Amino acid sequence: MAEGEQTRLVAWSREMRAVHERLREALAVTRRALADGEPARPATRELLLFCHGFCAALTAHHEGEDRSLFPAIAARHPELRGTLDRLRQDHSMIGYLLTGLSAAVARDAPPGELARHLEGVAAIMESHFRYEERQLLTVLETLSLDADPGDVFGPL
C-alpha cells in the first residue's frame, strides 16, 4: 500500500473524531446561548439560530452515516451489523429529541424547558458518540470508501 493510500484510509477515523468534536462544540455554544440570555425571549431568539444550525448539522451527520458509512462497514464487517443497528436506533432517538427541541424553541418555551431538551440531547448524543467511537474507530482506520467526507459525516 502506498503512503498516500494509508493516509486516506486513516482519514476516516480522524474525520469521525473531528466531526464529533465539532458537534460537541456546537451543542456547547447552543447551551451557552440559552444560559447567557437575560430575558427568555432574546435567549430563545438566539437559541433558535444556534438550534437550527446544530440540529441541521447533527441530522445531516447521522443521515450520512446511515446512507453511506454504515452500509460500507456492514458489507466488509458483517459481525458489526448488531452494532450498526444500535447506532441507527440512536440516530432515530436523537432525531426525535431534536424534533422536540425545535418545537420548544419555535413556541418560545421557557428557558428551563429548553434546558431540559438540551440536556436530553446532550446525554444521548454523548453516549452515542462514545459508543460509536469505541466500536468503529479501529474499523474506520482500515476502511476504503470512495466518498466525500462531507457526504458521509455531514457538512461541518
Side-chain angles (χ1 to χ4, degrees), residues 27-39:
L27 179 60
V29 167
T30 303
R31 293 169 89 177
R32 284 193 299 269
L34 176 62
D36 291 346
E38 291 296 322

Side-chain angles (χ1 to χ4, degrees), residues 5-103:
E5 291 176 33
Q6 180 64 27
T7 301
R8 177 69 178 130
L9 293 174
V10 175
W12 288 109
S13 62
R14 284 195 312 260
E15 186 66 22
M16 176 179 273
R17 280 191 203 107
V19 167
H20 285 178
E21 284 308 311
R22 288 191 298 267
L23 286 166
R24 286 175 173 117
E25 180 56 29
L27 179 60
V29 167
T30 303
R31 293 169 89 177
R32 284 193 299 269
L34 176 62
D36 291 346
E38 291 296 322
R41 193 167 277 297
T44 303
R45 276 199 309 270
E46 229 179 282
L47 182 61
L48 183 62
L49 293 174
F50 287 114
C51 179
H52 282 310
F54 169 73
C55 292
L58 186 56
T59 298
H61 171 65
H62 289 157
E63 288 172 348
E65 287 180 335
D66 290 345
R67 179 183 58 250
S68 302
L69 184 65
F70 292 174
I73 292 171
R76 291 164 185 88
H77 297 277
E79 72 278 8
L80 290 175
R81 287 197 175 132
T83 297
L84 298 173
D85 288 344
R86 176 177 172 193
L87 292 168
R88 284 187 195 97
Q89 288 175 336
D90 285 355
H91 291 174
S92 178
M93 184 184 324
I94 292 169
Y96 175 80
L97 294 172
L98 291 176
T99 298
L101 172 61
S102 294

Side-chain angles (χ1 to χ4, degrees), residues 105-127:
V105 169
R107 65 176 166 71
D108 291 332
E113 181 182 338
L114 295 171
R116 285 190 300 277
H117 279 283
L118 286 171
E119 285 298 318
V121 170
I124 299 300
M125 185 185 88
E126 187 59 35
S127 171

